[in-house]
Amino acid sequence: MARTPLVPVHIERRVGDLPVLRPDGERMRLGDVWATQPVVIALLRHFGCIFCKDQAAALRAIVPEVHALGAELVMLGSGAPQMAGFFAEDYAIETPVLTDPTRAVYDALETRRPSRLALADPRMILPGLRAVLHGRRQDRATADRGDERQLGGVYIVQPGGVLAWA
């Protein structure tokens, strides 16, 4: 589903009505996150992923910049709601962390789920080492943390559900 910034696509019909959960388990419509302002949506692999922890730390640093531009940053995982809460708390994330345990959003956005063998790619060693040096630790992927084979992505969605960048 990767798109260039020059080819906006309306995704409201595709994913706007899909339910996501807040850390307290409250259900909400995904399209509500972009109803009134542009949103950067960061899809995380799972809440125990070493790379997602590194990504969350980098994204946390730009939240003030995103807010200054009149936008919001939302992190979306695939684990249990309470794990989204633990993730937000552990990494001091002061922006919404939501979850989609059914992975319906991931499927609708056509994100990839490679084989387990693909996840053992040697090119992951250096970034993994870098993340460890930053103090990140890989947690075992369990059903409550999310799907270990799910890959993430970053999307910029304008009000009304116009996908500006993926």
Side-chain angles (χ1 to χ4, degrees):
M1 158 136 270
R3 304 275 185 224
T4 65
L6 302 176
V7 185
V9 173
H10 291 272
I11 64 167
E12 179 67 32
R13 278 191 216 118
R14 182 184 276 192
V15 297
D17 286 331
L18 292 177
V20 292
L21 303 173
R22 297 174 197 263
D24 63 4
E26 184 181 331
R27 185 177 156 147
M28 66 177 282
R29 186 181 163 277
L30 180 61
D32 291 346
V33 302
W34 60 69
T36 60
Q37 64 188 5
V39 175
V40 178
I41 300 175
L43 295 182
L44 307 171
R45 284 187 58 225
H46 62 83
F47 293 121
C49 169
I50 192 169
F51 301 113
C52 298
K53 293 171 182 179
D54 226 26
Q55 179 185 26
L59 290 171
R60 181 185 64 218
I62 66 162
V63 167
E65 225 175 298
V66 171
H67 288 169
L69 293 170
E72 182 60 274
L73 172 72
V74 173
M75 294 185 204
L76 179 70
S78 64
Q82 67 270 22
M83 294 310 282
F86 294 147
F87 187 82
E89 190 177 304
D90 288 349
Y91 292 92
I93 299 168
E94 295 181 8
T95 192
V97 177
L98 305 172
T99 190
D100 171 24
T102 66
R103 293 183 29 267
V105 173
Y106 291 83
D107 289 342
L109 292 173
E110 300 173 8
T111 57
R112 293 183 37 222
R113 287 188 75 235
S115 70
R116 281 182 171 42
L117 185 58
L119 296 175
D121 188 324
R123 292 175 291 184
M124 302 312 295
I125 294 171
L126 188 57
L129 217 55
R130 215 175 289 125
V132 167
L133 292 173
H134 286 127
R136 318 285 182 244
R137 298 291 176 261
Q138 177 73 31
D139 295 320
R140 201 177 100 222
T142 57
D144 63 338
R145 285 197 178 103
D147 186 332
E148 71 178 355
R149 287 185 42 222
Q150 181 62 64
L151 295 182
V154 177
Y155 302 82
I156 298 175
V157 184
Q158 297 172 343
V162 176
L163 179 63
W165 188 86

